[in-house]
């Protein structure tokens, strides 16, 4: 199985901050990576697919980059609704796997 | 706008079979562009991909669960289903159904249903 390791697992930040979450794959996955946001008690929401393509309706303060084994999700100018958990997902090979998650909390 | 809704028992006894159905509304399930999938999440933990089924009946399962899983799809009812047998407490989780596109990017999710395994 391809393992995805997110860092950090926990992140404390303030409104207006710029934050970056990293996802490292245990082997190369090209750009076959997605990022999801999950609010407490809710289903995940797709933010970015193909490593860097912003899903329709997602604010432009979210961006993704990377290829191969290292990927990043960046959120510029944090808004109150951004404090949530974030997961990366690879679909380069079965079984599909997710990172362990990053919890973003308000400082 | 497609919507997905999980249904099924919220409580299952150990060693029995967990059965869930996902009902799709707003769009057909007959397109071959989509993978109809199940994903679960134990309380306070991360996401685990269970498997997916296509409209032609092809399936792909997580090897960690493969011996216990059956997935199927009913195009006339616009439903797809998950059966997980021989459950234990470790199978207690929120179960999500989701529609995968372009190789299992999950653009659409159900709201999730909590299944507890307990006697």
């Amino acid at each position: 199985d391809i393992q995805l390791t997110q860092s950090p697992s926990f992140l404390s930040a303030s409104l207006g901050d710029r934050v970056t979450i990293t996802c490292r794959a245990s082997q190369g996955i090209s750009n076959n990576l997605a990022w999801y946001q999950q609010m407490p008690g809710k289903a995940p929401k797709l933010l970015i697919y193909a490593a860097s393509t912003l899903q329709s309706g997602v604010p432009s303060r979210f961006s993704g980059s990377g290829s191969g084994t290292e990927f990043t999700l960046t959120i510029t100018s944090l808004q109150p609704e951004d404090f949530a958990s974030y997961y990366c997902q690879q679909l380069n090979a079965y079984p599909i796997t997710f990172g362990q998650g990053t919890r973003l909390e308000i400082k | 706008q497609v919507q997905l809704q999980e249904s099924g028992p919220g409580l299952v006894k150990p060693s029995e079979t967990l059965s869930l159905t996902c009902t799709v509304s707003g769009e057909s399930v007959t397109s071959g562009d989509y993978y109809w999938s199940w994903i679960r999440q134990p309380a306070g933990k991360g996401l685990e991909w269970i498997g997916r089924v296509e409209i032609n009946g092809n399936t792909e399962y997580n090897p960690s669960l493969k011996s216990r899983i059956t997935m199927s799809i009913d195009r006339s009812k616009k439903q797809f289903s998950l059966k997980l047998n021989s459950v234990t407490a470790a199978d207690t989780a929120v179960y999500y159904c989701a529609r995968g596109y372009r190789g299992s990017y999950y653009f659409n999710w159900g709201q999730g249903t909590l299944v507890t395994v307990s006697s």
Side-chain angles (χ1 to χ4, degrees), chain B residues 41-113:
Chain B
Q41 185 174 36
K45 296 188 178 180
L47 300 160
E48 180 181 28
W49 183 78
I50 300 171
R52 57 91 169 156
V53 59
E54 298 175 61
I55 190 59
N56 60 12
N58 287 347
T59 56
E60 190 74 42
Y61 299 147
N62 192 321
S64 68
L65 300 167
K66 187 174 184 177
S67 64
R68 299 194 289 132
I69 300 174
T70 303
M71 291 186 186
S72 60
I73 190 164
D74 186 330
R75 64 176 69 196
S76 64
K77 293 183 179 178
K78 295 177 67 174
Q79 293 177 334
F80 60 104
S81 66
L82 166 69
K83 293 188 186 299
L84 177 65
N85 60 38
S86 304
V87 297
T88 69
D91 296 309
T92 294
V94 173
Y95 285 75
Y96 294 101
C97 60
R99 185 175 77 166
Y101 181 59
R102 291 186 57 178
S104 296
Y105 291 117
Y106 294 111
F107 289 79
N108 307 100
W109 296 68
Q111 65 185 24
T113 187

Side-chain angles (χ1 to χ4, degrees), chain A residues 8 12 22 30 32 36 38 60 62-64 75 80 82 85 87 90 93:
Chain A
S12 181
T22 298
S30 186
N32 296 313
Y36 297 85
Q38 187 178 33
S60 59
F62 291 89
S63 64
I75 314 170
D82 300 336
S85 293
Y87 294 90
Q90 69 81 21

Side-chain angles (χ1 to χ4, degrees), chain A residues 3 5-7 20 24 27 32 43 45 47 52 54 56 63 65 73 76 83 91 106:
Chain A
Q3 294 188 19
T5 304
Q6 289 182 231
S7 59
T20 297
R24 289 187 173 86
Q27 62 191 82
N32 296 313
K45 171 188 173 184
L47 297 175
S52 60
L54 196 66
S56 175
S63 64
S65 65
L73 171 69
T76 59
F83 293 92
L91 55 150
I106 192 165

